[in-house]
Amino acid sequence: MIDTQKYKTQLEELLAELTADLTEIGIHDPKNTENWIETTKDLGTSNADPLDVADRTEEWDERKATVAVLETRYNNITHALANIEAGTYGVCEIGGEEIETDRLDANPAARTCKAHIEEEANLPN
Ligand SMILES: [Zn+2]
């Protein structure tokens, strides 16, 4: 039997941390709560030096990549919390078997068992 209360607490803590991180570099898309949009805030604006512009473009690309990674984690966590509410937490989304507790301990937002770990990245949100 999976101790969902334990994982729920962990997931809520992770979600709070991720929300704080994402809020620093992006905003929540008001039309789609699974989407975060990176902001240009703090990247600097008024200086027209071309070298600075190149730096900013690079920083902007990095920020976009960071937002994408955090957004995936964020969505996996909200997904896991929804599964806890629905009573379907800890079930592999590929094969339907119970996810190993040591895997959930390492990643409470895991969506697959160890045998299907390679396929997790291909799952739709
Ligand atoms: Zn599986």
Side-chain angles (χ1 to χ4, degrees):
M1 202 49 205
I2 293 173
D3 182 359
T4 51
Q5 190 53 50
K6 176 177 93 177
Y7 295 116
K8 188 179 177 189
T9 306
Q10 289 178 8
L11 285 161
E12 283 169 346
E13 283 170 12
L14 287 168
L15 190 66
E17 282 172 28
L18 268 176
T19 304
D21 288 348
L22 275 162
T23 305
E24 277 181 28
I25 55 171
I27 53 163
H28 222 162
D29 186 341
K31 292 191 277 305
N32 176 5
T33 55
E34 289 194 348
N35 192 34
W36 287 78
I37 306 160
E38 59 284 350
T39 57
T40 50
K41 193 161 63 94
D42 309 329
L43 287 182
T45 45
S46 57
N47 197 326
D49 185 324
L51 283 173
D52 283 353
V53 171
D55 276 354
R56 284 207 295 275
T57 304
E58 203 173 300
E59 205 175 327
W60 168 247
D61 284 346
E62 278 172 23
R63 185 174 286 206
K64 261 171 126 159
T66 306
V67 167
V69 169
L70 295 181
E71 183 185 274
T72 300
R73 272 189 227 154
Y74 179 92
N75 288 334
N76 281 350
I77 291 168
T78 53
H79 194 88
L81 285 167
N83 283 346
I84 287 176
E85 293 305 315
T88 56
Y89 178 74
V91 176
C92 172
E93 292 184 32
I94 303 281
E97 57 277 279
E98 199 166 280
I99 300 174
E100 299 84 351
T101 47
D102 58 338
R103 171 141 165 75
L104 290 173
D105 284 339
N107 176 15
R111 297 173 67 183
T112 67
C113 69
K114 288 182 196 168
H116 293 117
I117 202 165
E118 304 279 333
E119 292 166 68
E120 185 176 51
N122 302 326
L123 284 169
N125 273 329

